[in-house]
């Protein structure tokens, strides 16, 4: 099976909370759409420093991570990040990888959204057994 990428939307979770309280408007919510490598070998959502800077996500802790080349680096962990894919959404933490690293969509957010990798089509899909999985209102 080749590499699988998915278009996902990343949203600053603190901004969404402020919007729900009518403190900021919809146009002030920081969000972006990115292409993420679906990586079941990673357990978290991993973003890069550029995305973290644009979304202004708060750092909640630091963790050590092993990169694909074996290098161990200390990374910031940011939260909350709302992640959306098709009719699915989850709120999670994200590890901030150095520089302009590729976005990785790890196992925890994949499982929480109940999505699957379709090996023949090489794409991320909504679980066909639960196509209308109950979701919160996405606005």
């Amino acid at each position: 099976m080749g590499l699988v990428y998915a278009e996902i939307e990343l949203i600053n979770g603190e901004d969404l909370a402020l919007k729900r309280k009518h403190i900021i408007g919809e146009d002030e919510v920081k969000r972006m759409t990115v292409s993420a490598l679906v990586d079941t070998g990673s357990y978290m959502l991993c973003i890069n420093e550029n995305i973290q800077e644009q979304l202004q996500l708060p750092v909640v802790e630091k963790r050590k991570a092993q990169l694909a080349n074996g290098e161990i680096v200390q990374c910031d962990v940011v939260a909350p990040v709302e992640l959306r894919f098709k009719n699915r959404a989850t709120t999670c933490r994200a590890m901030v990888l150095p520089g302009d690293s590729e976005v990785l969509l790890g196992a925890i957010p994949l499982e929480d959204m109940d999505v699957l990798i379709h090996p023949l089509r090489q794409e991320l899909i909504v679980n066909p057994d639960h196509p209308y999985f109950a979701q919160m209102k996405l606005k």
Side-chain angles (χ1 to χ4, degrees), residues 49-138:
E49 292 171 333
N50 296 330
I51 293 170
Q52 194 276 337
E53 184 178 312
Q54 287 180 39
L55 294 179
Q56 298 177 5
L57 298 161
V59 175
V60 295
E61 69 175 306
K62 293 191 179 289
R63 284 192 190 173
K64 289 186 179 177
Q66 184 172 10
L67 303 179
N69 65 5
E71 180 184 2
I72 301 208
V73 295
Q74 183 157 327
C75 299
D76 289 339
V77 175
V78 295
V81 181
E82 179 150 326
L83 186 158
R84 296 180 183 176
F85 173 77
K86 297 194 178 181
N87 68 338
R88 304 295 205 237
T90 187
T91 301
C92 61
R93 293 175 167 216
M95 188 168 288
V96 182
L97 299 177
D100 197 24
S101 299
E102 187 167 40
V103 177
L104 304 176
L105 182 53
I108 292 173
L110 289 171
E111 184 174 328
D112 193 45
M113 291 189 297
D114 192 26
V115 294
L116 306 170
I117 298 171
H118 190 294
L120 185 60
R121 297 189 334 219
Q122 292 189 351
E123 68 179 359
L124 190 65
I125 62 167
V126 169
N127 185 340
D129 291 339
H130 312 115
Y132 305 110
F133 188 68
Q135 288 289 314
M136 65 181 181
K137 185 177 177 183
L138 294 178

Side-chain angles (χ1 to χ4, degrees), residues 2-67:
L3 300 178
V4 175
Y5 287 86
E7 292 295 312
I8 60 172
E9 184 178 23
L10 302 174
I11 307 168
N12 181 314
E14 286 189 340
D15 286 357
L16 287 175
L18 292 172
K19 180 187 161 288
R20 281 191 294 274
K21 294 176 183 177
H22 306 287
I23 295 171
I24 65 172
E26 176 68 35
D27 59 326
E28 297 174 273
V29 176
K30 290 177 279 307
R31 60 179 72 221
M32 65 189 325
T33 300
V34 298
S35 180
L37 175 62
V38 179
D39 183 5
T40 57
S42 174
Y43 63 95
M44 292 180 75
L45 170 66
C46 297
I47 62 173
N48 60 47
E49 292 171 333
N50 296 330
I51 293 170
Q52 194 276 337
E53 184 178 312
Q54 287 180 39
L55 294 179
Q56 298 177 5
L57 298 161
V59 175
V60 295
E61 69 175 306
K62 293 191 179 289
R63 284 192 190 173
K64 289 186 179 177
Q66 184 172 10
L67 303 179

